[in-house]
Amino acid sequence: MNQMKKITPEDVKSHGLSPDEYQKILSIMGREPNLVELGIFSVMWSEHCSYKSSKKWLKTLPTKASWVICGPGENAGVIDIGGGMAAIFKMESHNHPSFIEPYQGAATGVGGILRDVFTMGARPIANMNALRFGDPSHPKTRHLLAGVVSGIGGYGNCVGVPTVGGEVNFHASYNGNILVNAMTVGLAKTDKIFYSGASGVGNSVIYVGSKTGRDGIHGATMASAEFDENSEEKRPTVQVGDPFTEKLLIEACLELMATDVIVAIQDMGAAGLTSSSFEMASKGGMGVELTLDDVPMREEGMTPYELMLSESQERMLMIIKPGQEHIAQAIFEKWELDFAIIGKLTDTGRMVLKMHGEVAADLPIDPLAQASPEYDRPWVATARQPVLAAKDVKEVPWKQALEKLMACPDLASRRWIWEQYDHMVMADTCQRPGGDAAVVRIHGTNTGLAITTDCTPRYVKADPFEGGKQAVAETWRNITAVGGTPLAITDNLNFGNPEKPEIMGQIVEAIGGIGAACAELAYPVVSGNVSLYNETGGNPILPTPAIGGVGRIDNLDRMATIGFKAEGEVLILLGQKDGDGWLGQSLYLREICGEEKGAPPVVDLSHEHAVGDFVRKLIADGRATTCHDLSDGGLLVGLAEMALAGNIGCQLYDVAGARHAQLFGEDQGRYVIAVPANAADKIESDAKAAGVPAKRIGTTGGDAIVHSGEKIALAALRKLNEDWLPSYMAGKN
């Protein structure tokens, strides 16, 4: 590739830059850039790296609390979890690569998020994921699901970090653009956290890990554009991962971090060597000079353009204290990883790239890194849909509805998926997949972290503000339901093309809802990712602001699970307000009636807070060991999940009013607990004193779910719930 060729309008367009952005580049440079410089601008100013459409709104999110050590802006967020320990976590997307090449796209998504966490000094202890696929009947869905799950399992299992939970949904809007969001949580000592700001004129710039190849070039730019009929041709922009090298890299980095020789460290993620070097220099107010001949390469004849834009995996960049390079070199050579001094820090504020004795690029760092475009794109609010009355929704017999719901793609058991993940490696997993939140022990203690991911895209499409609130509140409830204290979130905001005012409106309003919930629930945002242009042929995905939540459990002996534990216990519904039950945008409406309409359920944040705090105290006091929050499918689906998890049935009391709305409505802020009969009176009186609605709804026992004189055997329900996904993957349905 001729880096000295004259830049044409076609070059500018092919690099994802607008004419106005190119004029800004000319102003910053004071001259026409060469092709290497244009490529660097294009990736640094891509939507994926610069957040140019969303940062105006992201700045409004609450990010601070007394327990937040580091909020957005670093590789991952950091919170204090007590005992001198910190949890470090983040969620990121690998949507476009996973659609093009599902195995490697998903695998390298896991690898990238692991590096974001261990680059800050944390040992990764848990992986999560949030996945969205198209209609099961679409010809590509089965292939994509198989590849993504295999890629997540293949990478996570080999690297030795448990995949402890996640979520999977299906909807036709994802037919041409699936979502693969990966989350990692790690642990570090609060006094041993590493940051990326470079310092020290003359200090060496060190490259470690794998060699650089031609895979993943322009991955960040691809992730910032819509798909079209030629998207299949973009396979060369998908990175190739090696989990065994990643495992070595984790161990080598953690060993080096124990020596006190690191000044700064950054993983090479999106935009590879370009973003890592620019971000380190910019955060430290430094310049940097790189000799690209010294970059370890796995292919012959690589150009400066390719070296700077490659997104080859398992690579890190670090600044080492002067005279200490030999310590780092010995450690990385012991772990059989590449180690190379590829440059030095300067006081010029510029990035100078040299190769074959010539200057390949010379760019100002701060104007490029800090003056990236920030757009206030036009937006329009989403038109609100009317509240759907229960009387206007067809009622079918409860047995028929429950059987269909428990076998539908969004509620069917995910066992086929999580059995492919090693969720027990490291031996600290306390709750396996299938509950409200994963629980992982803080090694050597009796305290733990509760981790969850959630979002209800159909709510967000109908009302982005309420849907954004609900996504946060749902993770807060999931953590609460296992007995955890919710501490902070990471987010992954997946939307369509922000240049369309209606899509930009979804982004603005959803961020507003997320912010409102985080503020009310004292649950700040500490890290995140934005993935836009998730469209194919002009058809956008459902707006999907996935939320990853982390909380602390002080005593793992006092943790709740969803399965019924004994016969004869009393079922108490907590948080149910008066009324018929909310069927708008419910799974009942979609799966039973074939409609997606109406306003989504309202999220009353003060109600969420009061009910959740009451539930958490019950669990902490040892008064409730069985708890489940209610979400998709409402009360009856929640009870069915509890019964199947414990292999104990239940008998429900009759419900008044619109029976389908009471049984399947998706009212928010609700939990079901199962408690010994002699404890029920006191819990009800305590709930009343706390202003929390509490109502006995039935008892546990038997081998069926019984209601209104009819019953469904658990064995039959389990078969429906467990069979759909394996049968689908085997091509039987």
Side-chain angles (χ1 to χ4, degrees), residues 243-399:
F244 299 105
T245 299
E246 181 103 342
K247 175 62 173 171
L248 299 178
L249 190 59
I250 291 172
E251 299 305 331
C253 286
L254 292 177
E255 183 174 335
L256 183 63
M257 287 165 170
T259 66
D260 199 32
V261 304
I262 297 174
V263 174
I265 183 168
Q266 173 83 25
D267 84 292
M268 292 192 222
L273 189 52
T274 290
S275 65
S276 55
S277 54
F278 262 92
E279 287 169 11
M280 292 177 83
S282 179
K283 286 176 183 174
M286 305 298 294
V288 65
E289 184 176 299
L290 300 181
T291 303
L292 298 182
D293 309 75
D294 296 331
V295 172
M297 301 174 221
R298 69 168 183 257
E299 299 185 47
E300 296 283 332
M302 291 192 71
T303 65
Y305 184 98
E306 292 169 330
L307 289 168
M308 292 304 293
L309 270 61
S310 167
E311 294 184 11
S312 293
Q313 297 292 286
E314 294 88 39
R315 302 179 300 157
M316 310 284 279
L317 204 62
M318 55 183 71
I319 310 299
I320 300 295
K321 290 180 179 178
Q324 305 298 304
E325 293 89 350
H326 66 284
I327 296 174
Q329 183 170 3
I331 289 172
F332 281 92
E333 287 181 352
K334 182 188 85 171
W335 289 98
E336 299 182 346
L337 294 165
D338 277 290
F339 173 96
I341 299 172
I342 64 167
K344 63 183 180 181
L345 296 180
T346 68
D347 60 2
T348 64
R350 300 186 71 82
M351 168 171 280
V352 179
L353 307 177
K354 296 180 178 178
M355 193 166 189
H356 306 321
E358 298 180 354
V359 173
D362 184 347
L363 304 116
I365 288 173
D366 276 354
L368 192 153
Q370 296 176 9
S372 62
E374 178 176 329
Y375 294 130
D376 185 1
R377 295 196 185 278
W379 63 277
V380 295
T382 298
R384 300 309 194 249
Q385 298 188 42
V387 174
L388 193 61
K391 65 181 177 58
D392 295 328
V393 178
K394 178 178 68 174
E395 182 168 0
V396 304
W398 71 268
K399 279 181 59 178

Side-chain angles (χ1 to χ4, degrees), residues 11-268:
D11 292 327
V12 173
K13 184 178 180 181
S14 71
H15 281 75
L17 294 162
S18 71
D20 286 346
E21 288 169 347
Y22 185 63
Q23 289 304 310
K24 192 172 184 179
I25 291 170
L26 293 177
S27 174
I28 288 172
M29 294 289 289
R31 61 174 171 81
E32 188 175 282
N34 64 32
L35 200 61
V36 178
E37 293 162 341
L38 183 73
I40 288 171
F41 269 100
S42 82
V43 293
M44 291 299 290
W45 285 10
S46 68
E47 195 74 60
H48 191 77
C49 291
S50 75
Y51 302 110
K52 57 191 176 188
S53 297
S54 57
K55 57 185 166 186
K56 168 185 169 68
W57 304 101
L58 295 174
K59 291 172 185 174
T60 67
L61 291 169
T63 60
K64 293 180 169 58
S66 60
W67 55 90
V68 174
I69 295 173
C70 178
E74 269 292 342
N75 287 293
V78 187
I79 58 173
D80 191 325
I81 56 172
M85 298 297 291
I88 300 181
F89 61 98
K90 189 182 182 184
M91 181 157 54
E92 276 214 341
S93 60
H94 237 219
N95 303 335
H96 286 55
S98 298
F99 183 80
I100 294 168
E101 212 301 294
Y103 184 93
Q104 289 295 350
T108 51
V110 173
I113 198 64
L114 282 164
R115 287 193 298 281
D116 278 338
V117 168
F118 74 74
T119 192
M120 297 194 70
R123 177 171 290 281
I125 63 164
N127 288 330
M128 299 280 285
N129 51 73
L131 312 176
R132 302 293 190 290
F133 297 98
D135 189 315
S137 65
H138 189 274
K140 291 196 72 168
T141 299
R142 188 180 286 108
H143 160 73
L144 292 168
L145 175 57
V148 166
V149 170
S150 186
I152 291 169
Y155 204 99
N157 296 354
C158 291
V159 87
V161 177
T163 300
V164 294
E167 54 170 343
V168 183
N169 292 126
F170 299 85
H171 191 276
S173 74
Y174 305 107
N175 282 350
N177 197 126
I178 63 173
L179 301 184
V180 176
N181 297 171
M183 176 177 172
T184 293
V185 181
L187 289 177
K189 293 182 177 178
T190 53
D191 60 353
K192 292 289 284 184
I193 295 167
F194 291 81
Y195 298 98
S196 58
S199 63
V201 173
N203 279 354
S204 297
V205 178
I206 308 292
Y207 172 118
V208 298
S210 289
K211 290 179 168 60
T212 296
R214 290 188 170 96
D215 56 319
I217 293 173
H218 269 302
T221 307
M222 177 195 69
S224 306
E226 287 185 42
F227 276 160
D228 56 29
E229 66 276 6
N230 300 316
S231 296
E232 295 291 327
E233 299 171 9
K234 296 183 177 179
R235 276 196 175 81
T237 62
V238 178
Q239 311 92 323
V240 178
D242 179 357
F244 299 105
T245 299
E246 181 103 342
K247 175 62 173 171
L248 299 178
L249 190 59
I250 291 172
E251 299 305 331
C253 286
L254 292 177
E255 183 174 335
L256 183 63
M257 287 165 170
T259 66
D260 199 32
V261 304
I262 297 174
V263 174
I265 183 168
Q266 173 83 25
D267 84 292
M268 292 192 222

